[in-house]
Amino acid sequence: MSSTTNPPAHHTSTIGAIGAPSRRNTELALLVFAVVIPVFAYANVGLAINDSVPPGLLSYGVGLGLLAGVGHLVVRKFAPYADPLMLPLATLLNGIGLVVIWRLDQSKRLQASSSFVEAAPRQLLYSAMGVALLVVVLIFLKDHRVLQRYTYISMAGALFLLILPLVPGLGANIYGAKIWIKIPGLGTLQPGEFAKIILAVFFAGYLMVKRDALALASRRFMGLYLPRGRDLGPILVVWVISILILVFETDLGTSLLFFGMFVIMLYVATERTSWIVFGLLMSAVGAVGVASFEPHIQTRVQAWLDPMREFELSRAGVQDGIVHSEQAMQALWAFGSGGTLGTGLGQGNSDLIGFAANSDFILATFGEELGLAGVMAILLLYGLIVERGVRTALAARDPFGKLLAIGLSGAFALQVFVVAGGVMGLIPLTGMTLPFVAYGGSSVIANWALIGILLRISDTARRPAPAPATSPDAEMTQVVRPGNSDPAGM
Amino acid sequence: MSELTLTVMRLGFLAVLWLFVIVAVQVIRSDLFGTRVTQRGARREAGRQQQAARQAPPQQRQQPAGGRRGRNAPTKLVVTEGTLTGTTVALQGQTITLGRAHDSTIVLDDDYASSRHARIYPDRDGQWIVEDLGSTNGTYLDRTRLTTPTPIALGAPIRIGKTVIELRK
């Protein structure tokens, strides 16, 4: 707006400070809501399957309420200015996930399978452990900038965690992907889920130091800033590592997650679009290259391109050395039969997916029983968590916190994209878990820790700045006005 | 369980799920923080009413020190020169920071400004003081470069680079 056309009297914009209130009571109200919704869903499943309100309703509601309550009290005490939405959103997703896992436990088809175990009680235990880890993070991580000191230690730690599944005797090959380790007596653990957080710490610390070199030293070519050859080093190293993950652990999801997270953080740190172009090109080259010789990946790609053929091969029992699976097709049918509004909780047939119906494929159950409307709501809940993470990054005052928040929320978003895209047939399916919802201890625990770190960063970012101390100069130069301090008046 | 009950529960569940999403979005809307900027153009229509309101000074805004500050207390800070010309900040006893840092109250887009250039704050008597925060190019009150925190007279120009601000009633 040009200043000449307006009379100066009306030509004003006014700036006023808006303090960030702590919003803890908003969080509490939302948490109550977030506990009531899964309890409603739980009753709904019971009524649909057994014609009666499930006997565990009260204990389930109290259990979820306790988890939420403990989380809330700890946030109130240790991170009073933290974002009010993250905890309720995570609680709601975790609660709904528990209900759907319990609903699949009730399926007669799944109960008939030899590998059936009651998953819901375990998942409740894992959720409790996850909230416990959130509490630990909030109590012991007083300031997220402490993590910056461990930049290179976290790199080593993350690599160690990523290599663990390949150690003979420790790693477990479950249906083609080697991303688990066996802990005798305790079950399996997916170290990649924890590596995700630790790697974000490393990337944030590293990029904070190197961002200027990566952003400024570049030539302009066709509208893109091309980095110098030697500045390509870091992205090449991360690319090679993610390719190695793909080759040796045969897990496309983990590989994509780590490389994608690095590219996102590199872009945010340097503001150079060229990194995104490079990243996309490199991941395309890598994925196509590896898929050309790795049979496990080839199967996944085939199942993605033609799920119906895989379904028929699997039904016909073709034995050609490749595991044919009907799951991808079953998942698509589940989404299809759900329609817009779904069949209702407990009334679908998504248990036909069989193995992994409650972990990798859990979104298909949502698709069938809650329909498009429900899946959209779930995806929006994830979107809101990511949005709060990005908002935290915007509000954070220190570059390390900014990058860490972006990295964590970017990884979270990528993980949701990789799983949801895989189940819906948008990209080849990979064995990743939908955060908070899918059955799997490592995933739930690691994601609660991720939320804990985001809460800590947002607490620091939203905490009102302390009032500036009156400077000593001002004290000394004060004018003493005799009228103000009249001793006779006392 | 009857078909009807289950249908009602199914639609009811979707409704509460979406209600949660909507409530969450509302919380985000009410959760905006930082600085509130009223756009210049939007004020044009309401200009007359504002002027009328300005003539009767709002009592409730003059908070604790209102009694002592008397009639000559400034109520707003106005940018009179520079890219932000026309911007006002209501003086409500808070410290106003000036500089290029994005969390300043007034973010100066000025090549001669430092990231934390100066601050303006009330002392205990409600007198407004300007203090240079060790800026590179200095803060000027009238023609003199500031070396110590200095009380500001009404209408005295404070110059930072190409930006000039002053206190007004």
Side-chain angles (χ1 to χ4, degrees), chain A residues 14-70:
Chain A
T14 305
I15 298 177
I18 311 172
S22 83
R23 308 306 300 268
R24 290 279 71 83
N25 294 332
T26 316
E27 181 184 80
L28 183 61
L30 275 171
L31 266 178
V32 171
F33 198 3
V35 171
V36 167
I37 294 177
V39 170
F40 178 28
Y42 193 60
N44 190 354
V45 172
L47 287 172
I49 294 183
N50 304 325
D51 261 1
S52 62
V53 174
L57 185 69
L58 190 68
S59 57
Y60 170 74
V62 169
L64 192 63
L66 264 181
L67 288 186
V70 167

Side-chain angles (χ1 to χ4, degrees), chain A residues 47-249:
Chain A
L47 287 172
I49 294 183
N50 304 325
D51 261 1
S52 62
V53 174
L57 185 69
L58 190 68
S59 57
Y60 170 74
V62 169
L64 192 63
L66 264 181
L67 288 186
V70 167
H72 173 73
L73 287 179
V74 170
V75 170
R76 205 174 256 272
K77 177 88 175 65
F78 292 96
Y81 292 95
D83 190 278
L85 273 172
M86 283 185 209
L87 195 61
L89 288 167
T91 308
L92 176 60
L93 286 169
N94 201 340
I96 296 182
L98 277 166
V99 169
V100 173
I101 290 168
W102 181 76
R103 175 258 173 278
L104 290 168
D105 280 350
Q106 308 304 306
S107 147
K108 297 278 180 293
R109 287 194 196 101
L110 291 179
Q111 280 170 358
S113 110
S114 58
S115 59
F116 176 79
V117 276
E118 284 255 336
R122 289 189 183 195
Q123 180 76 356
L124 190 58
L125 181 68
Y126 295 143
S127 308
M129 287 160 73
V131 174
L133 193 56
L134 171 103
V135 167
V136 167
V137 167
L138 285 178
I139 292 180
F140 289 101
L141 187 68
K142 293 265 185 260
D143 185 348
H144 61 270
R145 280 167 292 191
V146 172
L147 295 175
Q148 204 179 330
R149 287 184 214 152
Y150 305 112
T151 300
Y152 289 95
I153 296 178
S154 7
M155 178 191 69
L159 285 180
F160 174 72
L161 283 178
L162 285 175
I163 292 169
L164 266 189
L166 298 176
V167 176
L170 195 60
N173 182 340
I174 303 181
Y175 296 93
K178 293 167 223 145
I179 52 175
W180 287 271
I181 55 169
K182 263 184 299 203
I183 302 173
L186 283 175
T188 54
L189 186 82
Q190 233 177 312
E193 290 283 350
F194 297 95
K196 171 176 80 180
I197 299 176
I198 300 175
L199 217 49
V201 172
F202 163 61
F203 288 160
Y206 172 79
L207 288 173
M208 201 194 92
V209 179
K210 299 287 159 113
R211 57 195 285 189
D212 287 339
L214 293 172
L216 297 176
S218 53
R219 287 157 304 180
R220 217 178 145 81
F221 175 71
M222 281 172 64
L224 282 179
Y225 286 96
L226 293 186
R228 293 177 303 185
R230 56 186 160 149
D231 291 334
L232 281 171
I235 195 173
L236 279 176
V237 169
V238 177
W239 180 70
V240 167
I241 290 175
S242 59
I243 292 291
L244 289 179
I245 295 173
L246 191 57
V247 172
F248 289 106
E249 307 191 349

